[in-house]
Amino acid sequence: MKVRVDPERCQGHTLCAMVAPKVFRLDEVDGHSSAVHEDVPADQEETASEAAHSCPERAITVWGDPR
């Protein structure tokens, strides 16, 4: 699975990092999210998918979504 955060859509709600802290990191300045790595480790796929679905801005795109 791969994951990407659209920096234009992310508003820094931080929900993704709360759901999947090993997959997403927050910018210390503005709180916007980015993926730690584009390739999601197999043991983090479910939480990455949950995080994408929890994003109110729909800024997270996942490929190979297990859902």
Side-chain angles (χ1 to χ4, degrees):
M1 167 189 261
K2 293 184 182 286
V3 66
R4 185 178 83 75
V5 179
D6 181 341
E8 298 297 318
R9 295 184 79 170
C10 178
Q11 297 296 305
H13 295 288
T14 74
L15 295 173
C16 59
M18 287 189 280
V19 172
K22 293 181 180 178
V23 179
F24 301 97
R25 65 176 158 239
L26 302 176
D27 184 285
E28 292 182 19
V29 175
D30 62 12
H32 287 97
S33 179
S34 62
V36 174
H37 299 286
E38 182 180 78
D39 294 313
V40 178
D43 67 334
Q44 295 296 310
E45 288 182 351
E46 188 172 334
T47 58
S49 181
E50 287 177 33
H53 291 288
S54 74
C55 179
E57 304 302 329
R58 300 294 180 236
I60 302 169
T61 305
V62 292
W63 294 267
D65 189 343
R67 289 186 178 194

